[in-house]
Amino acid sequence: MSAELRTRMVEGAADLMSRRGLGAASMRDLARHAGTPLGSTYHYFPGGKLQLALEAVRLTDERVSARLRQAFERGPAAGVREFLALWRQIVINSDFEAGCPVLSVAVTEPRTGEAAEAVAAAGDAFAHWCDALSTSLREHGAPAPVAESLALLIVTSVEGSVAICRAEGSTRALDLVAQTIEGLIESALPPAGAPAGR
């Protein structure tokens, strides 16, 4: 039960961070949002909310990366569709209140001091997602420099469009980005039957 409780706390922290950012959330807020006792929160996370933030970023990274790896087995376009669908579902299910907890930490916390480890983990998460996409693009014939730059463009476009969706209360930005990305992926890959250019 302790492992389940701990995971619930981290999931709750990730969700609250995605809605309000880390700075606006106290340990009491995080415990209440997760539906767990405040004392238990301090017991499992003696480092306070920065430890919780670090683990929330890492959990988000692991879960998104796992979904991407599975989706990329069907090709880069399928992987990107899964990436877009994931964030589209999050903004819709939260009534446009939630975004990406990784982005929240990256843009609201300083890169030095106590928050440095959580910010570094956010950077690692973005790098993992870009690498998964870049690898899939290369495996399907995109030249390495094209794959790397396109992967970064896609991840930043999706993250930015999630923020716009929240501001507008609409999925318009994600939907437009999805259409554009499909075309970019198609143009980056060789025609069927052509030799792969790595």
Side-chain angles (χ1 to χ4, degrees), residues 13-14 17-18 21-23 49-50 52-58 100-111 115-123 126:
M17 285 160 47
S18 75
L22 182 59
K49 70 177 185 177
L50 288 174
L52 251 176
L54 172 62
E55 297 204 25
V57 167
R58 287 177 173 165
C100 175
V102 175
L103 181 64
S104 173
V105 169
V107 301
T108 62
E109 297 303 310
R111 291 175 55 240
E117 194 174 2
V119 176
F126 293 137

Side-chain angles (χ1 to χ4, degrees), residues 77 150 176-189:
L150 183 54
L176 287 174
V177 163
Q179 294 172 17
T180 303
I181 287 173
E182 290 267 357
L184 290 173
I185 291 174
E186 185 176 343
S187 65
L189 300 179

Side-chain angles (χ1 to χ4, degrees), residues 76-187:
V80 171
R81 282 189 212 104
E82 179 69 19
F83 192 52
L84 284 153
L86 168 67
W87 298 115
R88 194 177 195 278
Q89 181 182 22
I90 286 171
V91 295
I92 290 174
N93 289 353
S94 67
D95 196 22
F96 301 95
E97 291 185 0
C100 175
V102 175
L103 181 64
S104 173
V105 169
V107 301
T108 62
E109 297 303 310
R111 291 175 55 240
T112 57
E114 294 182 338
E117 194 174 2
V119 176
D124 289 343
F126 293 137
H128 296 156
W129 303 344
C130 286
D131 184 62
L133 176 52
S134 177
T135 298
S136 182
L137 286 164
R138 289 197 311 274
E139 288 174 347
H140 286 80
V146 173
E148 185 177 345
S149 60
L150 183 54
L152 180 61
L153 176 64
I154 290 171
V155 171
T156 55
S157 296
V158 172
E159 290 288 331
S161 64
V162 167
I164 293 173
C165 287
R166 292 183 66 192
E168 293 183 344
S170 162
T171 62
R172 182 187 68 89
L174 267 172
D175 296 338
L176 287 174
V177 163
Q179 294 172 17
T180 303
I181 287 173
E182 290 267 357
L184 290 173
I185 291 174
E186 185 176 343
S187 65

